[in-house]
Amino acid sequence: MRETIHFAHANSFPASVYRKFLAALGERHQVGFLDAIGHDPAYPVTDCWPHLVEETIAHIESHYQGPIVGVGHSLGGFLMFYAALRRPELFKRIVILDSPLMGPFRSRGIWLAKKLGFIDSVTPGGNTLKRRDNWASVAMVHDYFARKPMFARFDPDCLADYAEHGTVDDGQGGRKLKFRPRIEHEIYCALPHDFPRYRGQLKVPATFIAGTGSDVLKPADLRFMRKHFNIQVQMQQGSHLFPLERPEETARRILDLLEA
């Protein structure tokens, strides 16, 4: 059966950077996305991301007919989870790719870090405002990130897409990041800490796919989501960014889930 899939991206990586992954899903299903969430002033970034969830729901309601399959990576998986809690009738199922859905102990730590003002030290947010944001050309963007260890693990096509589609014209003939560092920083600083309070409330079938080399979640977090949300947990080769490292392999795993 041909499904409608809505994809939600990770923080700092617009959905268009996942073109190879989305193309593989699109061979059998209709696929759509919101390219850079959090940049519409009507849906500001606030603590625990309620307006980003509203932006996600508004996009789904205005672009699709009938219930969909929600697929989200990192930030996007969190948004799929919260949207499915709020509006379960919009979803047939959700697939969460290595999102930081932390259990009670670590969620309390996130709350405390925000409360005491050191959240930048426990998330990647502290580095976002220092990140380089301009280059003379797409080729220079590509060369710059290809030297970074994290990006060096990317599928070559995904790295090329990040250089081209993860940046935009800066108005002076150069390139700047499409996902603005200020928005990225705000999203990290507002990382939800309230996931555990919704235990037992998820009514939509859900699968969580974790990267074998990811440090986003601990075994206790995975046990918590299995026990209290009935979320099926699977593993996928790669780091936290495995959809960009192994896009076709990740897509095949999701296709197998949908067809099982």
Side-chain angles (χ1 to χ4, degrees):
M1 179 179 178
R2 190 171 176 84
E3 303 282 8
T4 298
I5 298 174
H6 173 77
F7 175 72
H9 56 80
N11 198 12
S12 81
F13 295 100
S16 49
V17 175
Y18 296 78
R19 288 201 312 162
K20 191 170 185 178
F21 167 67
L22 298 176
L25 289 178
E27 291 177 3
R28 303 187 204 173
H29 303 285
Q30 175 186 342
V31 179
F33 57 83
L34 175 59
D35 196 33
I37 200 162
H39 290 64
D40 185 341
Y43 301 100
V45 180
T46 56
D47 194 35
C48 294
W49 307 336
H51 300 299
L52 302 189
V53 177
E54 292 171 5
E55 184 177 11
T56 299
I57 290 172
H59 182 87
I60 290 171
E61 288 183 313
S62 63
H63 286 77
Y64 312 119
Q65 297 291 325
I68 65 161
V69 174
V71 177
H73 177 212
S74 194
L75 160 70
F78 235 130
L79 298 180
M80 290 298 99
F81 173 84
Y82 281 115
L85 280 179
R86 192 179 302 182
R87 296 290 303 279
E89 75 278 6
L90 295 178
F91 297 91
K92 288 185 176 180
R93 70 181 299 149
I94 58 174
V95 181
I96 302 169
L97 308 178
D98 214 60
S99 299
L101 302 178
M102 300 175 190
F105 179 76
R106 296 181 70 213
S107 290
R108 282 194 293 271
I110 293 296
W111 172 83
L112 185 64
K114 290 190 286 188
K115 193 79 171 176
L116 298 182
F118 62 89
I119 188 66
D120 275 351
S121 67
V122 296
T123 73
N127 297 322
T128 55
L129 298 180
K130 306 171 188 175
R131 185 170 296 145
R132 181 172 174 179
D133 187 34
N134 57 80
W135 297 265
S137 66
V138 169
M140 291 185 70
V141 177
H142 185 279
D143 291 345
Y144 175 81
F145 283 106
R147 294 193 296 270
K148 302 288 186 181
M150 179 179 75
F151 289 86
R153 296 193 295 266
F154 275 29
D155 176 275
D157 292 330
C158 292
L159 180 58
D161 283 340
Y162 183 71
E164 182 174 358
H165 301 288
T167 62
V168 293
D169 191 289
D170 66 0
Q172 299 177 330
R175 308 293 293 181
K176 66 178 182 180
L177 295 171
K178 178 183 287 187
F179 206 100
R180 304 306 301 140
R182 177 183 62 81
I183 299 296
E184 181 183 359
H185 181 258
E186 290 175 357
I187 288 173
Y188 278 126
C189 289
L191 181 66
H193 60 267
D194 60 351
F195 167 65
R197 76 161 56 168
Y198 299 106
R199 66 188 76 187
Q201 297 183 36
L202 182 64
K203 307 303 181 186
V204 175
T207 300
F208 187 98
I209 303 178
T212 56
S214 173
D215 60 358
V216 167
L217 293 182
K218 307 297 184 185
D221 302 316
L222 298 176
R223 289 195 297 269
F224 182 83
M225 71 172 68
R226 282 192 186 105
K227 179 178 179 180
H228 295 287
F229 296 96
N230 196 31
I231 295 176
Q232 178 189 14
V233 176
Q234 299 185 5
M235 305 301 294
Q236 166 69 44
Q237 279 292 117
S239 76
H240 173 60
L241 297 176
F242 66 80
L244 295 169
E245 297 167 355
R246 299 168 177 263
E248 293 173 318
E249 181 180 335
T250 304
R252 285 196 301 270
R253 179 178 287 270
I254 294 172
L255 292 172
D256 289 344
L257 275 175
L258 300 185
E259 293 167 12

